[in-house]
Amino acid sequence: MNTTFQGSKDYVASDELMRSVNIAIALQKPLLIKGEPGTGKTMLAEAISAALGKKLIIWNIKSTTKAQDGLYVYDVVQRLYDSQFGNEGVDDIKKYVKLGKLGEAFSGDEQVILLIDEIDKADLEFPNDLLWELDKMEFYIPETKETVKAKQRPIVIITSNAEKELPDAFLRRCIFHYIEFPNEEQMREIIAVHYQDIEEHLLQQVMDTFYWIRDLYNIQKKPSTSEVIDWIQALVLGGIDPEKIKTKVPFAGVLLKKNEDIDTMRRYLK
C-alpha cells in the first residue's frame, strides 16, 4: 500500500507541505498544522486519507473536551441502571467501556489517519494530557485492568488556528508546518479544482477584488479560500457582469461576515 503522500486531485498541496507530511509519517510523529481559517488544514487529513487509502477518524475538539474523552468512557450510570433493574451482564465491566476516537484509532487492525481537529480550542492542559498516549501509543483502563496498545501506529494530524499557544513539551513531539495563505497562482490552482471551465476575465476580476479586500486596512476577518469559492458560485448563479465585480462587489456577504468589514470595504469603494 502507498505510504507516500503526493497530494490528491481534490487538494492542492505545496511541495513543502507534502514533504512535511511524509517526514511525519517516516518519523512516526504527529504533524501539527497551523494556518489561518480556510487554508485547508482539516481538508489535508481528508486528502491524505484518500491518497493513501486509509480510514480517517476525526476527533473534533471543543472547549469542554478532555483528553480522557478521546481514550475511553466508562458508563457508570448505565451500569447502575442495569443493576437496579436486574439486567444480565452487569458484572461484565467491558460492556460499559466505550473507546473514544484515540482508542478507536489504536484498536484498529489496519493503520488509520487520526485527525485531532482544532486542538487549541481545549484548555491549556489538554495537549499535555495526551503526551504519554501520543508518545507510547497506549493507555491503561483501570476499570478493566487492561492496556490498549496501538496495533498499527496511526498517522496523526493535529490542526490549530493559533487561538492560544501550545505547551513546549507538546510542540517538541510534533513535526510542525504552517500553511501560508495561497498567493494568486496557488489560488487559481485551487479554484480550478472546483471550476474547470471558469471564464478567464471573470476569474481575474475575482482575484483582483478578493486580494484587494484581504489587503484592506482594518479588515477584522479576512475572507478565506472557502469563501472565495462560494463567492464565485454566487457570482455565476447571479449572472453578474464581470465588469461590476470590482466596482460593486456583489454578494459581499459571502466574502465578509462582519458588518464592520463590509462598511470598511464600502468606504473604499466610494
Side-chain angles (χ1 to χ4, degrees), residues 97-156:
V97 172
K98 181 180 179 181
L99 294 178
K101 296 297 185 181
L102 201 60
E104 184 182 342
F106 285 4
S107 61
D109 291 327
E110 297 183 357
Q111 186 181 51
V112 301
I113 312 295
L114 173 64
L115 171 62
I116 303 177
D117 202 22
E118 299 189 324
I119 194 171
D120 51 328
K121 280 189 175 181
D123 64 43
L124 290 174
E125 290 305 312
F126 178 84
N128 280 337
D129 289 343
L130 287 177
L131 290 180
W132 170 270
E133 288 76 17
L134 291 178
D135 257 355
K136 304 300 181 182
M137 288 290 159
E138 65 178 47
F139 61 90
Y140 181 67
I141 303 178
E143 287 83 1
T144 61
K145 298 181 173 57
E146 291 181 330
T147 296
V148 177
K149 187 174 180 63
K151 297 178 182 178
Q152 298 287 341
R153 192 178 186 94
I155 297 171
V156 181

Side-chain angles (χ1 to χ4, degrees), residues 21 29 41 47-49 55 72 75 106 111 127 129-130 139 152 156 160 171 178 202 250 252-253 268:
V21 171
K29 289 181 175 290
K41 299 185 297 295
I48 296 171
S49 170
K55 178 183 177 182
Y72 74 96
D75 195 345
F106 285 4
Q111 186 181 51
D129 289 343
L130 287 177
F139 61 90
Q152 298 287 341
V156 181
S160 169
L171 294 175
Y178 184 88
L202 169 63
Y268 284 96

Side-chain angles (χ1 to χ4, degrees), residues 171-194:
L171 294 175
R172 282 196 297 271
R173 289 162 168 82
C174 297
I175 304 297
F176 173 75
H177 183 86
Y178 184 88
I179 299 182
E180 299 284 350
F181 194 84
N183 58 29
E184 182 174 330
E185 181 181 353
Q186 293 168 324
M187 186 63 78
R188 282 174 167 268
E189 290 183 43
I190 293 170
I191 290 172
V193 171
H194 300 271

